[in-house]
Structures are given as structure tokens and as C-alpha cells.
Amino acid sequence: MEIFTPGGPLLIFLASLFTSNILLSKFLGMCSFIALSRNMKTSFGMGIAVTFVTFATALINYGIHHGILAKGSVIFPDADLTYLEFLIFILVIAGFVQFVEIILERFIPSLYFSFGIFLPLITVNCAILGVNLLMVDPNLNFDLFKTGVYALGSGLGYCLAICLMAGIRNKLQDADIPEPLQGLGSTVIITGIMALAFMGFTGMVELG
Amino acid sequence: MIYIQAILTLAVIGTGLTVLLLVLAYFFARYGTCKVKVNDREPFEVEGGGKLLDALYDNKIFIPSACGGQGTCGFCKTRVLSGGGPLLPTETPYLTEEEQQCGTRLACQVKIRNDIEIQVKPEFLNIKQFVATVDEATMKTGDIREIHFKLQPGDAIEFHPGQYVQVLVPSKKETIFRAYSIASVPADQDSIELLVRLIPKGLGSTYLHAIQPGDQVTFTGPYGEFILDQDPEAELVCVGGGVGMAPMRSLLRHIAQANPQKKAWLFFGARTTDQLLYLEEFTKLQKELPNFKICYALSEPEKCPDWNGETGFIHLAVEKLLEKNDNPKRQAFLCGPPQMLEAARNTLTQKGFQDCNIFADEF
């Protein structure tokens, strides 16, 4: 396995981090991105929480996909149940988030209070569901290792984007923005410009 | 066949997750009944998993909290002796190094997970919740309203003059309390009086300016640490302005009733004559009591041609009229805007007051 060949793990990682950044290329996860990018500390906490949940649920859902849903799966080899992905993946994500929340709160309260408070927001975060649904795309043909790399890269990509946004919004606090564009308006425009910048990487690395 | 497989898959995964979470919640999110021991009292039992502050409120222990458990005011400091768990990042901004070491926590952030032992200031145990009815309200100046509340029959509030209550401001979203000094005297145990200055868009003051006689208001109290020295020779000097009059009025009327020989001074600063509060009442009191003196001063006398009292800022009047004295029991009670108190504090220190005897209530 050559890591620098197209579709190799390093390129998947870089692609999911930059050119195919889940937030800036697919515009998924926008609500938490806009709501929580007011300050760097919150953004970073949210970014790390998203990274962790994306990574873990991607591995679980990879197992469910290849064990049950896909054609040729272990349990139902003849049936193609991939149309159930939407429903089952979101169930798994929500269930997993609850699971982590209960465990963290009980055993590591300090960690719970620094990043666990974002967990309920993640339950219905479309970026995570997006990653889960995209990674099982038959065209990409990811194995378990590549799935992990892709999920990790996407999560970190979200973290990168939201932290950059927090930095920009922090600088914008003193800026004289026209009233109609204050808050949400300028944020969405900036997100667009950031997406353009990230697309500048296109051609350097590609998914699959 | 394919439909059965689909339904089976969904059902198994759905039920599996539900069962897993229920089992987890059963073992980990349930803390059972926990005992809360407050000071030397008999421990009470609460259902685990809730906040310490809520548990205390449910058991009629009303420690101060102005933000309603949001962790933003830092008033609900409580010493947790055992069972509080680790200090949380949400608390550290409000606690000094020293407090952190002796186990001080914010009660609104501590979750009860096991038996817990805490220590609250003994005076907090006397704090109760009251429901009172407005029976009279009058505007005293352009923006200050005097409101008189009658407690429910059988209720009685015991407080020291100079203390305050926290009024519950009705809100759909959260519990909001706002603190107001008591202006009435401790002898009237079945009623209290508040002075409220209207602050535009202020939650508490707009509420208290809108209520009418007959309306009911909930408050907890009393809070506050000022204890009046009973010695008649220990002079009490009150310096204030605006609604800072409330606690001073309570103190001075209490002295008039309970300790009429006690030496006392009232210094009250205002800009113009229409901001003066209770001038007639205190002028009368000055004539009746041998050791009570007052001084009202205007800082903008040019606007009030018929004023013939003191002029200038109030700390200058203190400087001019108060005699220097080294009696270590002399007390000063300051209540007013920060700049006024700052200036008054400096003047009082020069007049021989000890720092620990100058009590300031800023607003």
C-alpha cells in the first residue's frame, strides 16, 4: 500500500482535511459552525468533540454497513439494505453520543465539563452523519483503515474550519460592519470566502 | 424476504441501542438517594444527580444566588467538606487560590453524586422564602419608588438593619433574583419596605415599578453581613445617595426606636432638591433625638435657588462636619454609587475610622 498513490491513506487524510472539507465543500454542520464560532475556546471544544464522535461512529457504522447492510454482508449476504443507512446511522450516532455523555459525566466530570457540554449538540450534527454516509460510497471503496483515516481527517477538518472562523470573528469584533450584515450575514459570507480558499487546494489532493 | 430483513435489522439495532442506554443509565446515571449534611444539622436526603443549589433550595436553605444557577454571579459559594468531586473549570474564575484550597465551591455547579457534607454560613440558615402582597407604593422622586409589602398572616421576617432581600423576578426562561436593601425597621416583622430606582430595561426594577397594590411578590432573605454595634457611644456614620437611602433609613429608624441615645450621623448627597429623600422625616428625627445629626448636600445647588443647606459633594460635607475620633468601635455604613463611596471611604479613613468598620454597599 503506497501512501502517496491516489486513494492512499495520507492523501485521503489531506483531502478530507482540505479539498473535501466536510464543512466547506459540502456545507454540512453549518448550524453548530455558526452558533459556536464566537470564541476560540468553545470552537476548539466543539471541534474536538466532533472529531472524536465522527471517528468513533464511523468505525461502528463501518461495521454495521459491512456486517449487515451492504450486499455481500456477513449477516444478510443477498439483500441490499443500504437504503436503511440514513435511519440506522443516525440512531447509532445519537445512541453513541448518549453513551459517551453518561460515561464521561460519571467517571471524568472535568472532561465532561470542558467538552462534554457540546455532546448533546452533536447528536443531530449533519457533518457527522454526512461523513458516515459518504464513507460507505461504493466508488470510494474504503477499507476499515481508510475509513478511520477519512473520519479523523473530516473531524479535524471541521475543527480547523470552526477554529479559523472563531479567529476571524474575533478580529471582526472591532470592525465597522454595515448593520444588515452584522452577525449571521457576515459569517455566511466569510464562510463562502473560506470555502473558496480551501478549494484552492483542489487538484493537489483528491479523495479516491 | 427483503422487507423482513429490513424490519429485523432496524428493530434489532433500535432495541439494542435502547437497551444498552437504559442499562447504562440504570447503573451509571442513577445516584440513588444521597445524604446532604449542612453544618451540624441532621442530614437530609435528596435524589442524586441534581445540583447542590437546587437541593438546598428544595430543603429551605436559601443561600444567595443572583444568577439563578447559571454559574455567572459567584454568590453561591459554599464550603464542601466531602463528596463534592473535582473542581470544575466553570467555577475557577470565581474562586481565589485560598478558597479553592479550603474546598469552597459554587453550589450551582456541584452535582450531588454521593453523600455530601457542606458548611454554609450560619446566618444563611435563617434565610427563608416569603410571599408578600404590595399594599402601598409611592414615587419618592422622578425614578425612585417606595414599595411597602405585607407578609402573609403568620409569617415574620427577622433581620438586622442594613440587610437585603432577593426579589424573584418572574421570567419564563430562568429563575432571576435581584437584590434590594430593606428600608423598613426590624421591629415591623410582618412587613417590609423597599426603595427601587427605575433602571431602563432593568429586569428587576421595571418589574417592581410595574406592580400594583394587591400584587404578590416572592422574595428570599435576609442577606447581608453588616451588624450594628449596640454601644450608644459607638457612633454610626451613614453616607450615601439615591436609593442608597434604603438601608440607611432602616438603620437610623431602628436606632431611633431601639437605641435613641446612640450617636448617629446621616450624610445624604444629591444633585438637586427633587432628588432629596425623606428630608422632612429626618429633620424631625434630628430634633427629637439628642445624638442624631443629619446633613443633606446638593452637588448642583445653582439649579435650586431656594436651597440653603450644604453644597458640594457629600464627602466634602463629611470632611467639614464630622469630628476626628479614634474610638475603634465607630462604624460607617456607605451605600451609593462607587465614586461617591470611594471618596467617602478616603475621608472616613482620615477621620480615624478603621478599615474593617467601614461597610460599603455599592450599586
Side-chain angles (χ1 to χ4, degrees), chain B residues 236-249 251-252 264-270 293 295 297 313-319 322 331-337 339-348 351 353 358-363:
Chain B
L236 173 74
V237 178
C238 294
V239 186
V243 279
M245 175 54 98
M248 303 193 297
R249 185 156 180 259
L251 280 161
L252 295 170
W265 258 108
L266 168 64
F267 289 95
F268 186 81
K293 291 177 214 125
C295 167
F313 287 119
I314 193 65
H315 68 276
L316 300 175
V318 177
E319 171 111 53
L322 196 66
Q331 286 179 303
F333 189 98
L334 318 181
C335 192
Q339 302 90 330
M340 179 191 272
L341 299 199
E342 175 82 39
R345 186 185 279 274
N346 288 338
T347 314
L348 288 169
K351 293 283 181 186
F353 277 84
I358 303 179
F359 184 88
D361 193 352
E362 282 182 15
F363 58 77

Side-chain angles (χ1 to χ4, degrees), chain A residues 4-124:
Chain A
F4 287 107
T5 49
L10 183 68
L11 290 191
I12 290 175
F13 183 73
L14 289 177
S16 56
L17 197 56
F18 296 114
T19 50
S20 303
N21 186 301
I22 191 78
L23 218 155
L24 296 172
S25 73
K26 305 269 187 315
F27 272 67
L28 290 172
M30 285 301 287
C31 32
S32 54
F33 173 71
I34 286 170
L36 291 174
S37 57
R38 289 210 180 80
N39 77 63
M40 187 61 87
K41 213 176 152 202
T42 327
S43 302
F44 186 69
M46 180 68 180
I48 294 299
V50 167
T51 308
F52 170 68
V53 173
T54 313
F55 181 68
T57 54
L59 297 185
I60 300 171
N61 283 334
Y62 178 87
I64 291 178
H65 178 81
H66 290 285
I68 307 172
L69 302 177
K71 209 166 168 67
S73 62
V74 183
I75 297 180
F76 302 127
D78 309 325
D80 181 11
L81 297 176
T82 43
Y83 60 89
L84 286 178
E85 275 168 357
F86 237 107
L87 211 52
I88 287 178
F89 285 4
I90 196 89
L91 268 178
V92 169
I93 295 169
F96 180 78
V97 168
Q98 288 292 312
F99 174 87
V100 175
E101 206 183 342
I102 293 172
I103 297 288
L104 269 191
E105 196 183 354
R106 177 77 197 213
F107 295 107
I108 329 176
S110 56
L111 192 61
Y112 174 75
F113 273 91
S114 57
F115 105 109
I117 41 176
F118 303 110
L119 285 175
L121 299 170
I122 287 177
T123 318
V124 286

Side-chain angles (χ1 to χ4, degrees), chain B residues 122-156:
Chain B
E123 59 262 30
F124 289 168
L125 296 177
N126 296 327
I127 296 171
K128 288 189 225 153
Q129 184 163 5
F130 298 93
V131 176
T133 313
V134 182
D135 67 352
E136 217 184 319
T138 40
M139 292 301 287
K140 282 291 164 185
T141 68
D143 58 357
I144 294 178
R145 193 182 198 209
E146 178 194 296
I147 312 169
H148 198 262
F149 297 92
K150 196 104 194 137
L151 300 188
Q152 284 182 327
D155 267 0

Side-chain angles (χ1 to χ4, degrees), chain B residues 12 21 25 27 51-52 73 95 106 113 155 172 180 197 203 212 279-280 303 322:
Chain B
V12 168
L21 286 178
F27 282 110
K51 288 175 175 175
L52 177 60
C73 70
L95 302 173
L106 297 189
R113 296 189 165 84
D155 267 0
K172 288 193 188 88
Y180 293 96
R197 185 166 79 96
L203 288 171
Q212 295 301 325
L279 177 57
E280 280 173 29
K303 293 183 185 158
L322 196 66

Side-chain angles (χ1 to χ4, degrees), chain B residues 98-324:
Chain B
E98 224 168 277
E99 285 173 328
Q100 292 182 15
Q101 267 167 16
C102 64
T104 307
R105 304 285 301 269
L106 297 189
C108 67
Q109 300 297 312
V110 176
K111 234 181 171 188
I112 301 179
R113 296 189 165 84
N114 37 39
D115 291 356
I116 191 169
E117 196 180 342
I118 64 167
Q119 211 170 37
V120 301
K121 287 184 187 158
E123 59 262 30
F124 289 168
L125 296 177
N126 296 327
I127 296 171
K128 288 189 225 153
Q129 184 163 5
F130 298 93
V131 176
T133 313
V134 182
D135 67 352
E136 217 184 319
T138 40
M139 292 301 287
K140 282 291 164 185
T141 68
D143 58 357
I144 294 178
R145 193 182 198 209
E146 178 194 296
I147 312 169
H148 198 262
F149 297 92
K150 196 104 194 137
L151 300 188
Q152 284 182 327
D155 267 0
I157 180 166
E158 286 175 35
F159 62 95
H160 300 295
Q163 286 193 302
Y164 66 95
V165 294
Q166 296 205 77
V167 177
L168 177 72
V169 182
S171 156
K172 288 193 188 88
K173 273 190 268 171
E174 54 205 331
T175 322
I176 302 170
F177 281 100
R178 287 289 181 269
Y180 293 96
S181 287
I182 306 172
S184 49
V185 288
D188 300 336
Q189 292 197 342
D190 58 347
S191 64
I192 65 159
E193 188 183 288
L194 304 179
L195 280 183
V196 181
R197 185 166 79 96
L198 183 65
I199 298 163
K201 292 189 183 168
L203 288 171
S205 65
T206 47
Y207 164 62
L208 286 174
H209 270 249
I211 53 173
Q212 295 301 325
D215 290 351
Q216 284 200 328
V217 169
T218 304
F219 64 87
T220 60
Y223 304 90
E225 286 158 8
F226 183 76
I227 302 290
L228 183 66
D229 195 313
Q230 298 301 327
D231 181 358
E233 283 303 308
E235 192 176 30
L236 173 74
V237 178
C238 294
V239 186
V243 279
M245 175 54 98
M248 303 193 297
R249 185 156 180 259
S250 177
L251 280 161
L252 295 170
R253 285 197 297 169
H254 174 71
I255 289 174
Q257 283 177 0
N259 198 350
Q261 295 302 314
K262 186 172 167 71
K263 287 184 177 172
W265 258 108
L266 168 64
F267 289 95
F268 186 81
R271 286 209 182 92
T272 52
T273 40
D274 50 354
Q275 291 180 347
L276 296 176
L277 287 165
Y278 308 108
L279 177 57
E280 280 173 29
E281 182 184 316
F282 282 117
T283 313
K284 191 162 155 265
L285 213 55
Q286 176 174 232
K287 284 179 190 142
E288 288 167 8
L289 301 178
N291 294 323
F292 177 55
K293 291 177 214 125
I294 63 166
C295 167
Y296 279 63
L298 293 188
S299 61
E300 293 172 8
E302 59 280 3
K303 293 183 185 158
C304 318
D306 44 353
W307 175 255
N308 50 18
E310 288 293 326
T311 58
F313 287 119
I314 193 65
H315 68 276
L316 300 175
V318 177
E319 171 111 53
K320 183 173 150 196
L321 297 171
L322 196 66
E323 50 190 87
K324 200 171 156 83

